[in-house]
Amino acid sequence: MKNTSFVVRCCMVAVLMVSAMGAAQAQSERATLKKAEGLVAQRQYASAFAMLDELDPANDRPAVLAMKADIVLHYFAQSMNHMIFSLVDLKKGESLDSVRRNFEMGDAFAFDVDSLSRRLLAAHPGDQSLLATHAAYHKALLDDYGDDLWMTYLAPECKALLQQATESADACSQMGYLYTSDEATADSAAYYFRRAVALQDTLWEAHYNLGVMEYQLGHNDKALAHLERAWKGYRVPRLKGDAARVMAIIYDQALNNAAKAERYYRQAVADDSTDVTSWGFLLDFLLRQPSAQDDALHVLRSGWHAAVQSDDLFDETGYIIGRCVKNEKGSMAIAFLQSRCNEAKEDFELGICHLYLFQLMERGGEAVAHLRKAIECFERDEAPKDFLKWLRDTLEEVEK
């Protein structure tokens, strides 16, 4: 009995020691996470990550992994496919944007959020924190690198994990996005977007996408309600303008409410005056209103100005002029382009004006003269050789 009691007491002591060690370890983890949060608040991202990495170099602790993933995905100085990162501690007056613009390759390290989160999920299946971390990685891929790369990395097992993340609004939003590419799955897309906004009512992107899906499903009132939520919530001008434009399209094409359509088309360009697409939709709308032709000409000028300032000048100016052609307002486009020939300062813009005039005019001497002037302008601007050859070949063809 004495020996038995002694063994029991030893076992109890061992259990207590293990419990105490576990409690101390958990307390140490909480303290380190709190310190790391403070460093992140002070924009000391590299120091925060180093502190967490020292605590858990093997990435075995879910809470630590989640914070490390949050730092690399949101506060990187440089990222390669969100698998290799560089971090910095920001100095006074610096911002992440300014650092990223001028950043040269620094101390880089591999941190594969995808495989690390999936490895821990194998040991902790269904852990919503880990599932949310995994979802955050794929959301970052989508936001920062676009659809193509995101879909490349979205393997079937990753899709299954997103489906399990029922408490993550971002994961539900991503699942909805997966179904938006096919009208046949609009119901599924809407289901996940509804789930996302139910979990997080301030997830504006999900409200926007749900609005689009509701519109596809013919639920115009619901669509407008969610799009307005997105429009009011968005702070980025491009996103606000996009939401306003979609509302305008619904009022214009589905509800035949011209007054509200015009209001929201104008709101879209007010939110983001650089968005050529919104200028094009407003122009298209006004060209269809017999009493609004003077206003349409004003919008044509504004849309053209936005197109000339864009990164894709050739396609964007063509899009704006195309609105006139679509609405059988070729004469308006010709008069406008002729005026621009007298106002344009840059050779490339002047060349585009002459080229469009050649394309819009009846093939004759005046049209050919515009083509010749276009070639001269593009030559002065040192346009690509293949493009110049195409213009010269066209001139040779029309002069035969």
Side-chain angles (χ1 to χ4, degrees):
M1 283 294 293
K2 287 182 180 180
N3 287 340
T4 302
S5 298
F6 177 76
V7 171
V8 170
R9 286 198 298 274
C10 286
C11 289
M12 290 177 65
V13 169
V15 169
L16 290 172
M17 287 178 64
V18 170
S19 298
M21 288 173 60
Q25 193 176 57
Q27 187 174 4
S28 172
E29 179 178 303
R30 286 194 296 270
T32 302
L33 289 171
K34 190 170 183 61
K35 288 179 183 177
E37 284 178 3
L39 288 171
V40 168
Q42 297 168 32
R43 307 188 309 158
Q44 304 298 290
Y45 306 121
S47 296
F49 188 89
M51 178 184 291
L52 295 169
D53 204 42
E54 184 178 351
L55 174 67
D56 183 27
N59 296 302
D60 288 330
R61 303 186 185 188
V64 180
L65 175 66
M67 184 173 286
K68 288 165 82 172
D70 184 69
I71 291 171
V72 297
L73 293 175
H74 294 101
Y75 307 116
F76 60 86
Q78 188 176 60
S79 166
M80 284 177 266
N81 292 358
H82 286 335
M83 299 181 75
I84 297 176
F85 302 90
S86 293
L87 297 172
V88 296
D89 290 340
L90 294 185
K91 300 180 178 122
K92 186 176 181 180
E94 285 185 330
S95 67
L96 274 175
D97 285 339
S98 66
V99 167
R100 288 169 181 170
R101 278 196 302 270
N102 304 308
F103 192 78
E104 296 182 3
M105 191 65 185
D107 294 333
F109 61 93
F111 192 76
D112 189 350
V113 178
D114 184 25
S115 63
L116 289 171
S117 58
R118 282 193 282 148
R119 177 175 64 82
L120 282 186
L121 277 165
H124 307 275
D127 185 300
Q128 288 294 318
S129 173
L130 290 172
L131 288 167
T133 297
H134 182 263
Y137 162 75
H138 285 286
K139 185 176 189 300
L141 274 182
L142 177 60
D143 290 346
D144 295 335
Y145 292 101
D147 299 354
D148 293 341
L149 188 64
W150 181 63
M151 292 303 293
T152 298
Y153 280 93
L154 198 62
E157 61 269 26
C158 295
K159 180 179 176 181
L161 289 173
L162 286 175
Q163 286 177 308
Q164 291 179 42
T166 55
E167 298 306 316
S168 166
D170 279 336
C172 291
S173 184
Q174 290 177 73
M175 283 302 299
Y177 190 82
L178 278 172
Y179 289 107
T180 58
S181 59
D182 187 349
E183 287 189 10
T185 58
D187 276 319
S188 296
Y191 167 81
Y192 282 106
F193 288 133
R194 290 187 196 111
R195 173 69 179 162
V197 298
L199 288 166
Q200 185 180 335
D201 190 47
T202 56
L203 195 59
W204 313 123
E205 181 184 2
H207 276 292
Y208 172 85
N209 286 320
L210 178 54
V212 173
M213 289 299 102
E214 296 286 18
Y215 173 48
Q216 285 191 17
L217 293 168
H219 307 151
N220 295 320
D221 289 343
K222 291 180 180 179
L224 290 166
H226 286 289
L227 287 164
E228 188 168 11
R229 284 283 286 140
W231 176 73
K232 288 181 177 177
Y234 278 143
R235 292 295 175 263
V236 177
R238 175 181 58 84
L239 298 177
K240 285 186 75 70
D242 196 26
R245 185 177 68 246
V246 178
M247 284 191 282
I249 291 170
I250 295 174
Y251 281 118
D252 185 11
Q253 300 180 10
L255 300 177
N256 297 315
N257 188 328
K260 286 197 173 181
E262 182 175 357
R263 171 189 165 189
Y264 282 103
Y265 280 135
R266 291 189 183 279
Q267 184 65 58
V269 297
D271 288 331
D272 184 7
S273 63
T274 68
D275 191 333
V276 181
T277 300
S278 290
W279 283 112
F281 270 92
L282 176 57
L283 175 59
D284 185 83
F285 172 80
L286 292 174
L287 288 171
R288 288 184 272 121
Q289 316 304 316
S291 62
Q293 298 312 290
D294 289 343
D295 201 6
L297 181 58
H298 175 74
V299 170
L300 172 58
R301 290 182 180 279
S302 298
W304 178 271
H305 177 73
V308 169
Q309 300 300 315
S310 72
D311 293 332
D312 196 1
L313 186 158
F314 200 97
D315 285 346
E316 297 285 38
T317 53
Y319 168 72
I320 290 295
I321 295 300
R323 301 307 89 197
C324 296
V325 175
K326 172 193 168 188
N327 287 281
E328 299 182 350
K329 300 292 183 180
S331 59
M332 176 186 286
I334 289 172
F336 168 75
L337 290 167
Q338 287 172 332
S339 70
R340 285 307 302 165
C341 285
N342 297 321
E343 299 168 5
K345 300 292 191 294
E346 300 293 332
D347 283 325
F348 197 80
E349 181 188 355
L350 189 56
I352 286 176
C353 290
H354 284 300
L355 180 57
Y356 290 157
L357 283 168
F358 162 71
Q359 293 172 337
L360 289 170
M361 286 181 164
E362 294 291 334
R363 295 299 170 91
E366 189 177 0
V368 173
H370 281 296
L371 180 55
R372 289 198 191 96
K373 289 179 182 178
I375 293 172
E376 292 172 7
C377 292
F378 288 127
E379 285 176 337
R380 288 197 300 269
D381 195 65
E382 299 181 347
K385 292 180 180 179
D386 289 346
F387 177 59
L388 288 171
K389 182 180 182 304
W390 173 73
L391 290 175
R392 294 188 189 106
D393 289 345
T394 302
L395 178 60
E396 184 178 331
E397 183 68 27
V398 297
E399 286 184 325
K400 285 181 180 179

